[in-house]
Amino acid sequence: MAKTTIPEEEFTYPGGTGCPGCGANLVMRYLLKGLGERTILSIPACCWAVMPGYWPSNCLKVPLLYTAFEATGAAMSGLRAALDIKGVQDVTVVGFAGDGGTVDIGLQAMSGAAERRTDGIYVMYDNEAYMNTGIQRSGSTPWGAWTTTTPVGTSHGFKHEPKKDIMAIMQAHRIPYAATVSIAHPEDFIKKVEKAKSIKGFRFIHAMSPCPPGWRMNPSQAVEVARLAVDTHAFPLYEIEEGRVRITRKGKGVPIKEYLKLQGRFSHLTEDEVAAIQSAVDDGWKFLLAKESSGV
Amino acid sequence: MRQVMTGNYASAYGAKLSRAEVIAAYPITPQTSIVEKLAEFVTSGELNAKYIPVESEHSAMAACIAAETAGARTYTATSSHGLTLMHEVLMWASGARLPIVMTNVSRAMAPPWSVWVDHMDSVAQRDTGWLQFFCQSNQEVLDTIIMAYKVCESRKVMLPAMIIEDAFILSHTSEPVDVPDQHVVDSFLPPYAPELKIEVGKARGFGSLVKPDQYMEFRYKDMLAMREARDRLLAVEKEFKNVFGRSHGGLLEQYMCDDADVVLVTAGSVAATAKDVVDALRAKGSRVGLARIRAFRPFPHEELRALGSKVEGMAVLDRSFTFGAAGAMFSEAKASLYSCQKRPVMKNYIAGLGGRDITPKILGKIFEDIAVMARRGVEEEVEWVDVAGLPRRWR
């Protein structure tokens, strides 16, 4: 039997209530493999507020503070301050929030925590819509996607605004470390988490988190879709350390339609619209390459 | 040691003497000098605490919630729009059974903008599960913060408390305040040691999802805790008096009420003016009294029922209004007295909104009015006092 290339110890028990094929389940699993037991999580309203299970059950092996939807950043600051005043230094404080809880309602509190240099790791698992409430658009929903609040209808009413670039927002906060991670690349994922853990200050992890019900796709293809997101450059893997961008996986430049066609949320798009997405993805990739080579 | 200080400094000293360990705060007029003073205390090392300069009041309370869950004694202060922005997390703090103590400098709500006193902000939080103490003096502000930690941190209570200072009238007015010695406060208030806290090695979830067959028991226990807070407050205040030589009247402070025919019930700094008016009217032979609602939560039902059974008229002066109903203090006092065998005539006076002065003359007219109503019954149950365009002249 081949030796695994990621830590074997698990920090999640069976019994979580995630959907079949849930990307966020793997995000949590790999995150905790990278962080270990001396971790305190804070989770706002999101899928993972439900996935640990009903009280008094809890499928996580680390302590967990639930918090209000918009308050993850503030909760991180509060936890850190209490640990500091009590002299506890070897515990990693982690905020773990969805995309809506990060780029929309939680942006202010996260920005505050980042500006205050709160010593902790903020993880955004990005399923690109409000999935726990039933697939409503968020600021992180990509251009072209169907959601229940961007119904396609007869007038092509898909989401007509591009996704917020949360990594650029975090880079602008001049935090010491930010990285994108994918469940299709667990070694890269865990390596980045371990690196984040070794750094002091506010750190940010952006995890792509395929959502089979919300993306209208086959649950067995979650990892494949996540891999295609990287290979098509829809979701490049990179890190920003002290402001410097480094791409950790170049991807194969697979045409974006290969990624889109596995997801029902894009099935209404015309060829021209797919071409427009391809063009936007190409521009984004060129911009990232330029950032990397210019050293900013 | 006696010092001359504002209500805001009294709040800051109260938090310092209570050895708050985490302070998360956002500035708002007229609360600012509380958090400025605390920032000074922390920076100078006079107070060993972590000060989190948060980016909103919502985050201030959310950070206090997290810190308190991790076992730290926390404090914050706010006012009006800051308090109402916190509304969601105020419920979180009480629902999570966290004995956070906060000063609210009670200020009117916009629009139109006003930075001056009324109680709308505080009264609007009455259903959040916080203990609420309306203070009459700066000394009471300092003392009540210390007492509140002791009441709230007791095992059977574990609820948060709001100490309410009237904007400018207390917050920015200097009075002599006795600042007790730290070692005496330490002997009165032991360090915070909760039975449960979030810590590594114990994989607990704080605030998990519950089903309908579990939820109601949590709220029932909150109700029991608030009931317990009533008894704890009375016991703690007795102990406070033994140690510090003063007390502030339990849940309902009564002044000259024993033989009174009519009483005025109110809350906050206006009670001090009303006591002077009581003295002046008593000197002329009127048997009047003043009852001050010090604890709005838990509400002084028992005290008001005992008082209401022995007076002919009860005026309730609210410094806020619950639209579509009446002043909240009036409505609750009236509800308390409904089941009494003998009830007084009751009337609600709405006064002093947005910082308008409630003068001795106005208070004198309220006493006159309630005495008349006690004889012939109430015509209008709720009367707005000293409002331009209304027929009655109050000034």
Coordinates of all heavy atoms in Angstrom, one line a residue, chain B residues 109-156:
Chain B
M109 N -32.0 58.5 19.8 CA -31.8 57.9 18.5 C -32.2 58.9 17.4 O -33.2 59.6 17.5 CB -32.7 56.7 18.4 CG -32.3 55.5 19.3 SD -30.7 54.8 19.0 CE -30.8 54.3 17.3
A110 N -31.4 58.8 16.3 CA -31.7 59.6 15.1 C -32.7 58.9 14.2 O -32.8 57.6 14.3 CB -30.4 60.0 14.4
P111 N -33.3 59.6 13.2 CA -33.3 61.0 13.1 C -34.4 61.7 13.9 O -35.3 61.0 14.3 CB -33.6 61.2 11.6 CG -34.5 60.0 11.2 CD -34.0 58.9 12.1
P112 N -34.3 63.0 14.1 CA -33.1 63.9 13.8 C -32.0 63.6 14.7 O -32.2 63.1 15.8 CB -33.7 65.3 14.0 CG -34.8 65.1 15.0 CD -35.4 63.8 14.7
W113 N -30.8 63.9 14.3 CA -29.6 63.6 15.1 C -29.7 64.3 16.5 O -30.1 65.5 16.5 CB -28.3 64.1 14.5 CG -27.8 63.2 13.4 CD1 -27.6 63.4 12.1 CD2 -27.2 61.9 13.7 NE1 -27.0 62.4 11.5 CE2 -26.8 61.4 12.4 CE3 -27.0 61.1 14.8 CZ2 -26.2 60.1 12.2 CZ3 -26.4 59.8 14.6 CH2 -26.0 59.4 13.4
S114 N -29.4 63.6 17.5 CA -29.3 64.2 18.8 C -28.2 63.5 19.6 O -28.1 62.2 19.5 CB -30.6 64.1 19.6 OG -30.4 64.3 20.9
V115 N -27.3 64.2 20.3 CA -26.3 63.5 21.1 C -26.7 63.5 22.6 O -25.9 63.0 23.4 CB -24.9 64.1 20.9 CG1 -24.4 63.9 19.5 CG2 -24.9 65.5 21.3
W116 N -27.9 64.0 22.9 CA -28.3 64.2 24.3 C -29.1 63.1 24.8 O -29.6 62.2 24.1 CB -29.0 65.6 24.4 CG -28.0 66.7 24.0 CD1 -27.1 67.3 24.9 CD2 -27.8 67.4 22.8 NE1 -26.4 68.2 24.2 CE2 -26.8 68.3 23.0 CE3 -28.5 67.3 21.5 CZ2 -26.4 69.1 21.9 CZ3 -28.0 68.1 20.5 CH2 -27.0 69.0 20.7
V117 N -29.3 63.2 26.1 CA -29.9 62.0 26.8 C -31.4 61.8 26.5 O -32.2 62.7 26.3 CB -29.8 62.2 28.4 CG1 -30.6 63.5 28.8 CG2 -30.4 61.0 29.1
D118 N -31.7 60.5 26.2 CA -33.0 59.9 26.6 C -32.7 58.4 26.7 O -31.6 58.0 26.5 CB -34.2 60.4 25.7 CG -34.3 59.8 24.3 OD1 -33.8 58.6 24.1 OD2 -34.8 60.5 23.4
H119 N -33.8 57.7 27.0 CA -33.6 56.2 27.3 C -34.0 55.3 26.2 O -34.1 54.1 26.4 CB -34.3 55.9 28.6 CG -33.7 56.6 29.8 ND1 -34.4 56.8 31.0 CD2 -32.4 57.2 30.0 CE1 -33.6 57.4 31.8 NE2 -32.4 57.7 31.3
M120 N -34.3 55.8 25.0 CA -34.8 55.0 23.9 C -33.9 53.9 23.6 O -34.3 52.7 23.4 CB -35.1 55.9 22.7 CG -35.9 55.2 21.6 SD -37.6 55.0 22.2 CE -37.8 53.3 21.7
D121 N -32.5 54.2 23.5 CA -31.6 53.2 23.1 C -31.6 52.0 24.1 O -31.6 50.8 23.7 CB -30.2 53.8 23.0 CG -29.7 54.5 24.2 OD1 -30.5 54.7 25.2 OD2 -28.5 54.9 24.3
S122 N -31.6 52.3 25.4 CA -31.5 51.3 26.5 C -32.8 50.5 26.5 O -32.8 49.3 26.6 CB -31.2 51.9 27.8 OG -30.0 52.7 27.8
V123 N -33.9 51.3 26.6 CA -35.2 50.6 26.7 C -35.5 49.6 25.5 O -36.0 48.6 25.7 CB -36.3 51.7 26.8 CG1 -37.7 51.0 26.6 CG2 -36.3 52.3 28.2
A124 N -35.0 50.0 24.3 CA -35.2 49.1 23.2 C -34.4 47.8 23.3 O -34.6 46.9 22.5 CB -34.7 49.9 21.9
Q125 N -33.5 47.7 24.3 CA -32.8 46.5 24.5 C -33.3 45.6 25.6 O -32.7 44.7 26.1 CB -31.3 46.8 24.8 CG -30.7 47.7 23.8 CD -30.9 47.4 22.3 OE1 -30.9 46.2 22.0 NE2 -31.1 48.4 21.5
R126 N -34.5 46.0 26.1 CA -35.0 45.3 27.3 C -35.3 43.8 27.1 O -35.3 43.1 28.1 CB -36.3 46.0 27.8 CG -37.5 45.9 26.8 CD -38.7 46.6 27.4 NE -39.6 46.9 26.3 CZ -40.9 47.2 26.4 NH1 -41.4 47.3 27.6 NH2 -41.7 47.4 25.4
D127 N -35.5 43.4 25.9 CA -35.8 41.9 25.6 C -34.5 41.1 25.3 O -34.6 40.0 24.8 CB -36.8 41.8 24.5 CG -38.1 42.5 24.9 OD1 -38.4 42.5 26.1 OD2 -38.8 42.9 24.0
T128 N -33.3 41.7 25.4 CA -32.1 41.1 25.0 C -31.5 40.1 26.1 O -30.6 39.4 25.8 CB -31.0 42.1 24.6 OG1 -30.8 42.9 25.7 CG2 -31.4 42.9 23.4
G129 N -32.1 40.1 27.2 CA -31.6 39.2 28.3 C -30.5 39.8 29.1 O -29.8 39.0 29.8
W130 N -30.3 41.1 29.0 CA -29.2 41.8 29.8 C -29.9 42.3 31.1 O -31.0 42.8 31.1 CB -28.6 42.9 29.0 CG -27.6 42.5 28.0 CD1 -27.9 41.7 27.0 CD2 -26.2 42.9 28.0 NE1 -26.7 41.5 26.2 CE2 -25.7 42.3 26.8 CE3 -25.4 43.7 28.7 CZ2 -24.3 42.4 26.5 CZ3 -24.1 43.9 28.4 CH2 -23.6 43.2 27.3
L131 N -29.1 42.3 32.2 CA -29.5 43.1 33.3 C -29.3 44.5 33.0 O -28.3 44.9 32.3 CB -28.6 42.7 34.6 CG -28.9 41.5 35.3 CD1 -28.6 40.2 34.5 CD2 -28.2 41.4 36.7
Q132 N -30.2 45.4 33.4 CA -30.1 46.8 33.0 C -30.2 47.7 34.3 O -31.2 47.6 35.0 CB -31.2 47.2 32.0 CG -31.0 46.7 30.7 CD -32.0 47.2 29.7 OE1 -33.2 47.1 29.9 NE2 -31.5 47.8 28.6
F133 N -29.2 48.4 34.6 CA -29.1 49.3 35.7 C -29.1 50.8 35.3 O -28.1 51.2 34.7 CB -27.9 49.0 36.6 CG -27.9 47.6 37.2 CD1 -27.1 46.6 36.6 CD2 -28.7 47.3 38.3 CE1 -27.1 45.4 37.1 CE2 -28.6 46.0 38.8 CZ -27.9 45.0 38.2
F134 N -30.1 51.5 35.6 CA -30.1 53.0 35.4 C -29.5 53.7 36.6 O -30.0 53.5 37.7 CB -31.5 53.5 35.1 CG -32.1 53.1 33.7 CD1 -32.7 51.9 33.5 CD2 -31.9 54.0 32.7 CE1 -33.2 51.6 32.2 CE2 -32.4 53.8 31.4 CZ -33.0 52.5 31.2
C135 N -28.5 54.5 36.4 CA -27.8 55.1 37.5 C -28.2 56.6 37.7 O -28.6 57.2 36.7 CB -26.3 55.0 37.3 SG -25.7 53.3 37.3
Q136 N -28.1 57.0 38.9 CA -28.5 58.4 39.3 C -27.2 59.2 39.5 O -27.3 60.5 39.4 CB -29.3 58.4 40.5 CG -29.9 59.7 40.9 CD -30.3 59.8 42.4 OE1 -31.3 59.2 42.7 NE2 -29.5 60.4 43.2
S137 N -26.1 58.6 39.9 CA -24.9 59.4 40.2 C -23.7 58.7 39.6 O -23.7 57.6 39.3 CB -24.8 59.6 41.7 OG -24.4 58.3 42.3
N138 N -22.6 59.5 39.6 CA -21.3 58.9 39.1 C -20.8 57.9 40.1 O -20.2 56.9 39.7 CB -20.3 60.0 38.9 CG -20.8 61.0 37.9 OD1 -21.7 60.8 37.1 ND2 -20.1 62.1 37.7
Q139 N -21.0 58.1 41.4 CA -20.6 57.1 42.4 C -21.4 55.8 42.1 O -20.8 54.7 42.1 CB -21.0 57.6 43.8 CG -20.6 56.6 44.9 CD -19.1 56.6 45.1 OE1 -18.5 57.7 45.4 NE2 -18.4 55.5 44.8
E140 N -22.7 55.9 41.8 CA -23.4 54.7 41.5 C -22.9 54.0 40.3 O -22.9 52.7 40.2 CB -24.9 55.1 41.4 CG -25.8 53.8 41.2 CD -27.3 54.2 41.0 OE1 -27.7 55.4 41.3 OE2 -28.0 53.3 40.6
V141 N -22.5 54.7 39.3 CA -21.9 54.1 38.1 C -20.7 53.2 38.4 O -20.7 52.1 38.1 CB -21.5 55.2 37.1 CG1 -20.7 54.6 35.9 CG2 -22.8 55.9 36.5
L142 N -19.8 53.8 39.2 CA -18.6 53.1 39.5 C -18.9 51.8 40.4 O -18.5 50.7 40.1 CB -17.6 54.0 40.3 CG -16.3 53.4 40.7 CD1 -15.2 54.5 40.7 CD2 -16.2 52.6 42.0
D143 N -19.8 52.0 41.4 CA -20.1 50.9 42.3 C -20.9 49.8 41.6 O -20.7 48.7 41.8 CB -21.0 51.5 43.5 CG -20.2 52.4 44.4 OD1 -18.9 52.5 44.2 OD2 -20.8 53.1 45.2
T144 N -21.8 50.2 40.7 CA -22.6 49.2 40.0 C -21.9 48.4 39.1 O -22.2 47.2 38.9 CB -23.8 49.9 39.4 OG1 -24.5 50.8 40.3 CG2 -24.9 48.9 38.9
I145 N -20.8 48.9 38.5 CA -20.0 48.1 37.6 C -19.3 46.9 38.4 O -19.4 45.8 38.0 CB -18.9 48.9 36.9 CG1 -19.6 49.8 35.8 CG2 -17.8 48.0 36.3 CD1 -18.7 50.8 35.1
I146 N -18.8 47.3 39.6 CA -18.2 46.3 40.4 C -19.2 45.3 40.9 O -19.0 44.0 40.8 CB -17.5 46.9 41.6 CG1 -16.4 47.9 41.2 CG2 -16.9 45.9 42.6 CD1 -15.8 48.8 42.2
M147 N -20.4 45.8 41.3 CA -21.4 44.9 41.8 C -21.9 44.0 40.7 O -22.2 42.8 40.9 CB -22.6 45.7 42.3 CG -22.5 46.2 43.7 SD -24.1 47.0 44.2 CE -23.5 48.6 44.6
A148 N -22.0 44.6 39.5 CA -22.6 43.8 38.3 C -21.7 42.6 38.0 O -22.3 41.5 37.7 CB -22.7 44.7 37.1
Y149 N -20.4 42.8 38.0 CA -19.6 41.6 37.8 C -19.9 40.5 38.8 O -19.9 39.3 38.4 CB -18.1 42.0 37.8 CG -17.6 42.6 36.5 CD1 -17.2 44.0 36.5 CD2 -17.4 41.9 35.4 CE1 -16.7 44.5 35.3 CE2 -17.0 42.5 34.2 CZ -16.6 43.8 34.2 OH -16.1 44.3 33.0
K150 N -20.0 40.9 40.0 CA -20.2 39.9 41.1 C -21.6 39.2 40.9 O -21.7 38.0 41.0 CB -20.1 40.6 42.4 CG -20.3 39.6 43.6 CD -19.3 39.9 44.7 CE -19.5 39.0 45.9 NZ -18.3 38.8 46.6
V151 N -22.6 40.0 40.6 CA -23.9 39.4 40.4 C -23.9 38.5 39.2 O -24.3 37.3 39.2 CB -25.0 40.5 40.2 CG1 -26.3 39.9 39.8 CG2 -25.1 41.3 41.5
C152 N -23.4 39.0 38.1 CA -23.5 38.3 36.8 C -22.6 37.1 36.7 O -22.9 36.1 36.1 CB -23.1 39.3 35.7 SG -24.4 40.6 35.5
E153 N -21.4 37.1 37.4 CA -20.5 36.0 37.3 C -20.9 34.8 38.2 O -20.3 33.8 38.3 CB -19.1 36.4 37.6 CG -18.5 37.3 36.5 CD -17.1 37.9 36.8 OE1 -16.6 37.6 37.9 OE2 -16.6 38.6 36.0
S154 N -21.9 35.0 39.1 CA -22.3 33.9 40.0 C -22.9 32.8 39.1 O -23.6 33.0 38.2 CB -23.2 34.4 41.1 OG -24.3 35.1 40.6
R155 N -22.6 31.6 39.6 CA -22.9 30.4 38.8 C -24.3 30.3 38.3 O -24.6 29.9 37.2 CB -22.5 29.2 39.7 CG -22.8 27.8 39.0 CD -21.8 27.5 38.0 NE -22.1 26.3 37.3 CZ -22.9 26.2 36.2 NH1 -23.3 27.4 35.6 NH2 -23.1 25.1 35.6
K156 N -25.3 30.7 39.1 CA -26.7 30.6 38.7 C -27.2 31.7 37.9 O -28.3 31.7 37.4 CB -27.5 30.4 40.0 CG -27.4 29.1 40.7 CD -28.4 29.0 41.8 CE -28.4 27.6 42.5 NZ -29.2 27.6 43.7

